[in-house]
Every structure is written in C-alpha cells, then in structure tokens.
Amino acid sequence: MKTFEELGVSKEIRRAIEEMGYESPMPVQEAVIPYLLGENNDVVALAQTGTGKTAAFGLPLIQKIDVKKRIPQSLILCPTRELCLQIAGDLNDYSKYLNDLRVLPVYGGSSIESQIRALKQGVHVIVATPGRLLDLMERKTVSLATIENVVMDEADEMLNMGFSESINAILADVPQERNTLLFSATMSQEIARISKNYLRDAKEITIGRKNESTGTVKHVVFTVHAKDKYAALKRIVDYYPQIYGIIFCRTRKETQEIADKLMQDGYNADSLHGELSQAQRDAVMQKFRIRNLQILVATDVAARGLDVDDLTHVINYGLPDEAESYTHRSGRTGRAGKTGTSIAIINLREKGKMRQIEQMIGKQFAPGAMPSAQQICEKQLLKVIDDLEKVKVNEAEIAAFMPDICRKLDWLNKEDLIKRMVSHEFNRFAEYYRDREEIEPVTDRGRERNLRESFKGKPTDPYQPSKGFVRMFINQGKVDNFYPRELIELLNKHTSRRINLGRIDLKKSFSYFEVEEHDAKMVAKALAGARFNGRKVMVEIAGGEHDKPAGYPKADHPKPNRAERGYNKPRGKRDDWKQFFQEGGRQLRGDVPDFQEEGWAKRSKKKH
Ligand code: AMP
C-alpha cells in the first residue's frame, strides 16, 4: 500500500489530513489521486459513499488550484444540499494549510443573494446542486468559463432525481478542455451515455462493487403476505434490540405511515422524507447521527442527504424500483470491516425485482427465518438484563434518595425486585407477543399448494362457473388495458338490459367473466363485432377443464404450450380469432392463471 506522499499529495494537504486521522490512502484514493494529479485525465469511478471518494477527488482537486487566481477553477456537482455542504466542509478541512483557498457551496433552499455576494468576492471551488447552479448561471452571476476540473458526484443519484437536463446545460458551459470526473455507485445506460458525451477516453475505476460489500453485508429476504408486512417488520426490529438502522420505504406516504405506526408502538423511530421542511429534516438527521434516534424511516431521495453509513441494519420495506437504489441502501451498512445486514421484506410479486438486484450485486439473498415470538422475547429479555448490568450508576446523585428508596422497597426481596425491574421494560413485548400467531412465510410452492388445497373437492373451483352463472371468454386482457370497469362499459354499450356479472378473471392478453346463464348467449351475440380500443372483440362461452393451473387436479387434456396458447402470434394476427377458435382455439384458455393476482382466490372463496 502506498502512502499519501507517494501518491503525490502535497505537504500542506498531508498535514491537514493527518490531523483528520487519515493515515493511509483508501483504495479509491490510491487509484484516483495520482491519475487526477496528472493532466487531462478523465475518470469514471464506480464507488459508493463511505469508500473515501470525497478525498479521492477532493485532494487532487484542491492541490491543482492556483490560489493566487481568485476565479472558479473547479466545479463539483452533487445531488443534495446535505452532500453539497458535506463536500464543501471536507474540502475546507483538506485545505486548512493552503492559505486563502475558497470553497463555496451553492444549493437550493437557502438565500441566493448571499451566494451571489460570495461569488462576487471570488471563489476557487464551487460545490453545487445542479438546479441552483443553473439558476445562478441564468442570472449571469457565475461564469464557468475558467473551470478546469469538473466532478460529478453521485451522478446516478443526480439522474434519478431528474437533473439530467440541468447537467447537460451546465456542462455545455464549461470549457471543452477540462478534466471531468464522474463518480457513481452504479453503471447504468444513462451514466454510460454521459460518460461517452462528456468525458474523453475516461479511465474506468471500479471501487464500489469490490469494496461496497467487502463480503461484510449479508443480504437477507423475508417473503411474506402483504397483510403481514408490518408485523414482520416489527418482529425483525424486535429481534435486534440493538439495531441502529434505516427502514427504506418507496413513497413519502408510506414512510410517514410506517414511522407513525412504529412511534405509536413505542419504538424510538422517526421519518425522513421530502414533505418535511428543511429544518425538520435537519433535526431528524441530527438526532439520528448522534444516535438519539434508533430507527429512521426514510425515502431513498431524502436519505441521500444523510452522511451516516455505519448502520447495523438496512431494512428494505419492499424493494426499490431501481435496482441501483438497492446498492445505495445496502451500502450504508457493513462498513469498516464490521458486519452489516440488509434485510428485504417483500411479497411474492417482488421476486422478479429481487432477481434483478441479485444480478446487480452479484450475490444472492439468503431466505430469512422469521423469529418466533419466543425467540424475540428471549432476546428482549436478555437486552433488559444486559442494560441493567451495564447501566452507569451515578452514586453521588442518587445517594441522597437512597434511604427513601430503600425504605419504600424494603418489603421486596432481591428476586421480587429483579422481576419488577425486568418486567418494567419487558412487558411491552411480552404483551404484544402473548398468543400472537406466527407469521407464515410465503413460498411459490406453498402458495400453489394452498391454492390446490383450498379448492380440493370444494365448490370453490375457480374453473367451474359459480352457481347459476356461465363463464365467458373475451379476447381482451390487461395488456389491452382491459379491466372490470372497461368490461362493464362494454356491456352497457352493447346490451340493452342490465347484466349481472359474477367473477371476473383478468389475464395478460385475455380474460374470463361470468354472466347469468340466461344472459350468456345474448351477451356473446351482442358483443360479436364490437370493438375495444379499435380492436375487434371476441366473446365466447368458455369451457371449464382447460384452464387449470399447473398442479391443479388434472383433466385429461395435455397442457398447451405457449405457441398453442397464441402467445407468439404477432399482435395483428390476433384478429382472426374466429378461425383460431375453430381450429381448436379452446386450448387458448389453457393459460396458467396469474397466481400473483391478489383477490383471485379470495374472490372465489367469498362467492361460495
Ligand atoms: P466518503 O466516501 O468520502 O464519504 O468518506 C467516508 C469516510 O471515510 C469519511 O468519514 C472520511 O472522512 C473517511 N476517510 C476518507 N479517507 C480516509 C482515509 N484515507 N483514512 C481514514 N479515513 C478516511
């Protein structure tokens, strides 16, 4: 391993970072610093927060500044106000012994006038969020004509936040012969595009991936029914009494709801999302930083501004839409050689997303075993005892009260006292978990089996029409944006009397619905020749046996393959349904029901 001196870092800067406790370079610094100290070297670095990337670009950047010229020479773009302030703060620390080097953070949400004033006085480095910088450029209060180095930090996050066009506009104003450095946690198509358009022969350095997990982040998944998601979250949190973690939710609303519920249930939790004011966000982040808050419930975007990454746990309350966001989330734990755990609480529908994430992180989620009520109570009890043992007793301050305390508790023996102390803390858990049903894990196989069992020999067979009803087939499905409302509208439009509908079973490219027996023929006739979204509608009375799912007590028909089911037919060809049916098109109904469709089993149960 090289020293900072060997990497070419100047004496003044070394003195400052030594004071900050940087003894030897981190891998990203070793890779990037010497390269950036050279001329005309562009870099795309895949590295995450916590890898030491700020110093990796910050040290060479300030070293290259000519302090005598009080003009903007370096520009750092980053997604959030918090990161902006953090980077500017770090650069100020690094340049402690460089006389008069001026770094200015410019970001939205604070007075633009004071930023303009500071710009007028002259600065060397501008650290900016794209929106505010663009605003300043439009007011002609800042010129980027003298910029020699540009850093885009957390570029993927800036793109996620919709800054793509602002970045284009900003880069168009920076001289071509600049050095450009792009930091991103992940490589996406858009990052590759920016790199291609704005960087020259960029050297690619990957640190994040190797370093991110360093084998110390465990990825664990709990697959549960949607209705059990919150209870599962509680169990997991209860099972780790020492947890210091972030629960990531997908929307602001969900974030607030989960935080509210946790607070009501007695947890030391709070929320962080974009609907809070800046002051509220600052207060929550500060509480969390100093560990006055144990659990933070946050959206991805709001959490970007938080510089805390030594979490014991990251909990994904559902998986993020973008697989990259998962890398950001999980990258906040397992730092500095410690083991961290990234837990995902998902339902079956999210399995696809999980696979994408697994591919991206190059690791598999281990299925977690939901802690039982007893295991949780044991853990909590141990924690109470542990806390009791370790609590700091302030002899001097309680001495005066001791005689009274002793007199009051005199009638209790040691064992009674211990029981009371422990119960004081533990009752909340004991009461909640007493007689509580365990959470059943959901597995694909389990779900199929449940389905089969629930239909076994019962009149709840979803392939048999409900009593008094006839099952109809229609060549419109979810891909056609055909849903119950559309079906009802279609019926209203083409039939003259009210039709009572039974079950509706929507598939990808076709659907089934039930009508009363005496209406069936009339409905088939009335809808013949009707059109939906410009396409001819085809309705027929459906059979029963052909539609059964894999594993369902079989009829003697072989299951048709995809081609036979019409899947591979080009869209246009689907118009000749009539002929398709006549040629044995009934097989078309052999499609495996969409198990994912919630309410499907419920609906059929309710009916009977
Ligand atoms: P960053 O990825 O830039 O957010 O840095 C993560 C943390 O590592 C920050 O707290 C830095 O102060 C710290 N850090 C960066 N470089 C070093 C180093 N060479 N030695 C020790 N700590 C460092």
Side-chain angles (χ1 to χ4, degrees), residues 251-509:
T251 61
R252 294 169 179 187
K253 190 165 163 273
E254 188 180 51
T255 304
Q256 193 57 55
E257 278 169 10
I258 298 298
D260 286 346
K261 274 195 199 172
L262 287 172
M263 284 187 269
Q264 270 166 21
D265 289 344
Y267 295 86
N268 179 13
D270 212 336
S271 63
L272 181 69
H273 55 74
E275 251 158 48
L276 305 174
S277 70
Q278 187 61 51
Q280 285 172 314
R281 269 183 282 166
D282 285 346
V284 171
M285 286 194 273
Q286 186 53 15
K287 256 200 319 181
F288 189 62
R289 255 182 226 121
I290 59 172
R291 298 197 176 216
N292 264 359
L293 193 65
Q294 204 183 354
I295 298 165
L296 185 70
V297 192
T299 55
D300 288 282
V301 173
R304 296 308 300 155
L306 182 67
D307 53 341
V308 175
D309 49 25
D310 54 347
L311 307 174
T312 60
H313 292 79
V314 164
I315 300 184
N316 300 266
Y317 196 73
L319 290 170
D321 286 334
E322 303 288 330
E324 291 125 57
S325 301
Y326 181 83
T327 350
H328 279 290
R329 291 179 177 188
S330 61
R332 287 184 177 266
T333 183
R335 294 262 161 236
K338 289 190 202 143
T339 313
T341 312
S342 173
I343 293 173
I345 306 174
I346 66 167
N347 51 37
L348 264 190
R349 288 168 195 230
E350 293 175 281
K351 276 271 160 82
K353 265 195 220 168
M354 187 183 95
R355 304 251 147 74
Q356 275 176 14
I357 290 170
E358 287 182 330
Q359 274 187 349
M360 180 154 211
I361 59 173
K363 279 185 166 189
Q364 290 205 324
F365 280 86
M370 187 59 67
S372 68
Q374 190 182 346
Q375 287 169 324
I376 292 168
C377 288
E378 251 176 58
K379 274 267 195 140
Q380 287 291 344
L381 203 55
L382 283 175
K383 168 166 189 284
V384 175
I385 299 165
D386 211 41
D387 285 353
L388 258 181
E389 224 182 350
K390 286 191 193 141
V391 71
K392 191 169 161 254
V393 177
N394 208 328
E395 300 279 357
E397 274 172 25
I398 62 168
F401 305 102
M402 276 313 281
D404 280 346
I405 296 172
C406 291
R407 206 171 313 125
K408 183 135 177 57
L409 299 178
D410 194 31
W411 61 284
L412 295 166
N413 66 24
K414 185 178 167 189
E415 198 179 324
D416 286 336
L417 259 178
I418 293 176
K419 279 186 197 158
R420 278 178 158 72
M421 292 284 210
V422 170
S423 302
H424 182 67
E425 292 286 314
F426 177 62
N427 278 357
R428 170 159 82 92
F429 297 97
E431 271 156 30
Y432 176 79
Y433 285 108
R434 188 177 303 136
D435 304 327
R436 186 140 312 245
E437 271 185 34
E438 299 299 338
I439 297 176
E440 287 297 317
V442 193
T443 60
D444 299 277
R445 241 187 269 136
R447 200 162 172 191
E448 223 174 84
R449 191 184 54 236
N450 289 346
L451 215 54
R452 251 182 279 147
E453 305 236 310
S454 64
F455 293 136
K456 213 185 256 169
K458 291 184 192 161
T460 49
D461 186 338
Y463 303 96
Q464 290 306 320
S466 314
K467 200 158 184 282
F469 281 82
V470 169
R471 193 166 150 84
M472 310 289 289
F473 166 89
I474 182 162
N475 66 335
Q476 305 287 334
K478 288 187 266 190
V479 288
D480 308 297
N481 283 327
F482 188 78
Y483 293 98
R485 208 174 104 186
E486 282 69 27
L487 171 67
I488 292 165
E489 278 172 7
L490 196 70
L491 286 169
N492 285 345
K493 196 166 153 196
H494 293 278
T495 56
S496 49
R497 65 181 138 94
R498 191 189 143 84
I499 308 291
N500 275 337
L501 280 170
R503 284 191 307 230
I504 301 172
D505 193 3
L506 298 169
K507 305 280 181 239
K508 236 193 240 156
S509 54

Side-chain angles (χ1 to χ4, degrees), residues 4 21-26 29 48-54 86:
F4 280 112
Y22 295 11
E23 283 169 11
S24 48
M26 290 168 89
Q29 293 157 2
Q48 307 219 321
T49 317
T51 49
K53 64 190 170 75
T54 316
Q86 194 191 322

Side-chain angles (χ1 to χ4, degrees), residues 40 59 73 190 192 216 219 223 259 312 316 319 362 494 501 517 548 577 587:
N40 301 328
L59 302 184
Q73 295 165 46
E190 183 73 344
T216 54
H219 303 268
T223 312
T312 60
N316 300 266
L319 290 170
H494 293 278
L501 280 170
E517 275 166 357
K548 296 187 172 178
W577 288 95
Q587 287 175 345

Side-chain angles (χ1 to χ4, degrees), residues 35-36 40-45 75 148-152 171 174-183 194-195 198-200 202-203:
Y35 193 72
L36 284 189
N40 301 328
N41 291 330
D42 287 358
V43 173
V44 175
L75 169 68
E148 290 168 9
N149 292 285
V150 176
V151 177
M152 285 178 267
L171 291 183
V174 183
Q176 292 276 326
E177 51 292 348
R178 59 171 184 253
N179 266 5
T180 314
L181 174 59
L182 187 151
F183 271 98
I194 293 212
S195 157
Y198 295 108
L199 277 65
R200 289 160 308 185
K203 178 178 160 114

